[in-house]
Amino acid sequence: MTSRKMQQLSVLTMSTLAFTVCFMVWMIFAVIGIPIKEQLGLNETQFGILAAMPVLTGSLIRLPLGMMTDRFGGRPVFFGIMMSTVLPIYLIGQATEYWQLLVAGLFVGIAYCARWFEKQNQGFAMGVFGAGNAGAALTKLLAPSIVVAYGWTMVPTVFAVMMLVTALAFFVFTYSDPAHRVSSTVTVAQQLRALKDPNVWKICQYYSIVFGGYVALALWMTKYYVQEYGFDLTSAAFLAACFSLPGGVLRALGGWFSDKFGAHKVTWWVLWVCWICLFILSYPQTEFTVKTVTGPQTYEIHLNEYVFTALLFVVGVAMAVGKASVFKYISDDYPKNIGVISGIVGLAGGLGGFLLPIMFGALVDLTGVRSSCFMLLYGVVWVSLIWMYWTEVRDADLVRGRPARVGADNLE
């Protein structure tokens, strides 16, 4: 009989692999959306809707999937979802109209892993599982080569085959544990009581940044490099992967940090790092003329591609750590209701990943400033920092009987 440790390892490995492939599919329009945009003559808002369409479905079903996971276990739910997407993925390559792409994208779109591990290691386990976000980078590394060699319509066919093979392997090499399910006497209404908890909504806000912002930027950055810096599709996708790859792989490190230092302290500093980097990234390319004693002098202020990529890399690392630290809040505060709470929080993060690309496109159409996407994210992070200060940092100071002030030494 397979030992418990071997079952844990098998579950974690296959769950991470399956999630990686799922995330690759989620990001499919980040690459093929660019030739589609040119072929169909889409504006920025229409591109944003197309790119984000798979994310909409993925976010809306998170809550019911979390509830199904608690009742039936993660293995059958995850397997069923993967199998149900194979045909829609393939049909993307057969679409010729914008509405057909939207419908196919709509159909392309888990506490299971965490419960296989002891509580003190759940942050690490969920972090490793979440490293599947690196699928966003794999799409950028793999899909452009397929587009160049065979055209964009071949990408959905390849991804559909990958999804089918992965789903079958997942079913064969994973296990089910009836102890992970909640009692059959628990009703839907009882599970949804979590929506009345204000702490859940605060965690949702954090996740809409570290996950929703990550998804949005992963979808948007390839096109950003093409339009802002003039790179070809392959080079642009490679540079965009510098953001996507650490945003996935280093999530496991974020889980370890969260187990060691606590969810609050890690999330606090993640938001500060994002806030500073987004402030710099927000500044548009600027040219201005100053009248001097020797005549007019023209100056330029802009981020070259090297500085831009370095800052984007830092944001990717911060969001990777933040995705794990926010989920550590869930395993700490809601150990017996992980499925439903994860579904609610995942729903908020997914909706952020859906709405933000559309807002990015609308802002570009309205203002003509491409860096407006970073301006929007900067504002969202600023609001979250204020919220965290008033509900966590300040309250912690008041409980200790000290004047409220911001700083790492306050977060003991």
Side-chain angles (χ1 to χ4, degrees):
M1 182 178 179
T2 308
S3 67
R4 178 73 174 182
K5 284 292 184 183
M6 287 302 297
Q7 288 183 345
Q8 288 179 335
L9 179 61
S10 182
V11 165
L12 184 58
T13 301
M14 288 309 305
S15 296
T16 303
L17 174 62
F19 188 48
T20 300
V21 174
C22 289
F23 219 92
M24 288 180 66
V25 172
W26 250 30
M27 296 290 111
I28 191 170
F29 287 116
V31 175
I32 69 172
I34 296 173
I36 290 174
K37 180 178 184 294
E38 296 177 359
Q39 179 178 319
L40 299 181
L42 306 179
N43 61 29
E44 299 293 332
T45 304
Q46 289 173 320
F47 173 84
I49 295 172
L50 176 63
M53 191 56 67
V55 183
L56 174 62
T57 311
S59 62
L60 292 179
I61 65 173
R62 279 298 296 268
L63 181 55
L65 282 182
M67 297 167 63
M68 291 172 62
T69 298
D70 278 345
R71 284 188 174 274
F72 306 111
R75 183 172 178 245
V77 173
F78 204 175
F79 173 73
I81 288 297
M82 285 189 288
M83 289 298 295
S84 69
T85 62
V86 173
L87 181 59
I89 295 169
Y90 171 77
L91 290 177
I92 290 175
Q94 311 306 309
T96 57
E97 302 290 339
Y98 182 60
W99 70 268
Q100 294 172 344
L101 290 164
L102 292 180
V103 172
L106 188 64
F107 282 94
V108 179
I110 292 205
Y112 166 61
C113 186
R115 286 210 182 100
W116 276 93
F117 291 80
E118 298 77 14
K119 185 177 187 302
Q120 66 271 20
N121 294 320
Q122 283 182 352
F124 175 74
M126 294 175 78
V128 173
F129 171 71
N133 288 176
L138 294 180
T139 294
K140 294 177 175 64
L141 296 175
L142 175 63
S145 299
I146 300 175
V147 172
V148 171
Y150 304 103
W152 72 264
T153 57
M154 179 59 68
V155 177
T157 302
V158 173
F159 278 27
V161 173
M162 289 176 58
M163 181 64 79
L164 177 61
V165 173
T166 303
L168 295 175
F170 175 84
F171 187 79
V172 171
F173 293 107
T174 54
Y175 303 86
S176 295
D177 189 341
H180 294 170
R181 304 173 190 172
V182 298
S183 171
S184 59
T185 61
V186 177
T187 66
V188 173
Q190 288 173 321
Q191 290 181 311
L192 291 178
R193 285 176 185 170
L195 292 171
K196 298 180 180 180
D197 187 346
N199 188 57
V200 172
W201 291 105
K202 183 173 63 177
I203 296 173
C204 288
Q205 167 68 10
Y206 299 158
Y207 203 61
S208 69
I209 297 169
V210 295
F211 179 77
Y214 169 80
V215 170
L217 289 176
L219 288 168
W220 199 254
M221 282 304 98
T222 300
K223 186 176 72 65
Y224 192 96
Y225 274 109
V226 170
Q227 295 182 334
E228 186 76 356
Y229 294 105
F231 287 103
D232 59 44
L233 180 61
T234 303
S235 300
F238 177 79
L239 289 172
C242 294
F243 165 78
S244 302
L245 187 60
V249 173
L250 295 182
R251 184 165 178 169
L253 180 62
W256 182 83
F257 278 137
S258 302
D259 286 335
K260 185 174 180 62
F261 301 109
H264 166 68
K265 183 182 288 188
V266 174
T267 305
W268 173 251
W269 284 111
V270 161
L271 293 179
W272 269 108
V273 170
C274 289
W275 189 75
I276 293 170
C277 291
L278 289 170
F279 175 80
I280 301 172
L281 289 167
S282 296
Y283 203 86
Q285 295 196 30
T286 304
E287 183 179 286
F288 59 95
T289 300
V290 178
K291 292 183 178 181
T292 69
V293 294
T294 59
Q297 295 288 334
T298 300
Y299 300 92
E300 293 183 2
I301 300 176
H302 69 279
L303 297 176
N304 62 38
E305 58 269 33
Y306 305 109
V307 176
F308 177 84
T309 301
L311 288 169
L312 202 61
F313 175 83
V314 174
V315 173
V317 171
M319 287 183 171
V321 173
K323 281 181 284 188
S325 67
V326 171
F327 259 73
K328 180 62 175 173
Y329 273 108
I330 300 174
S331 63
D332 284 346
D333 299 344
Y334 306 97
K336 296 182 179 179
N337 205 20
I338 291 179
V340 172
I341 303 301
S342 297
I344 295 171
V345 173
L347 171 62
L351 286 177
F354 169 71
L355 293 173
L356 284 171
I358 300 175
M359 298 172 71
F360 291 169
L363 284 172
V364 174
D365 284 336
L366 289 171
T367 67
V369 178
R370 292 194 183 93
S371 65
S372 56
C373 60
F374 300 111
M375 299 176 189
L376 175 61
L377 286 176
Y378 170 81
V380 175
V381 173
W382 180 72
V383 170
S384 300
L385 278 169
I386 294 174
W387 192 352
M388 178 177 277
Y389 173 76
W390 282 99
T391 59
E392 297 185 40
V393 180
R394 182 175 180 274
D395 286 351
D397 282 329
L398 293 177
V399 167
R400 287 193 289 264
R402 298 203 302 264
R405 58 192 179 91
V406 179
D409 58 332
N410 295 348
L411 308 176
E412 298 172 356

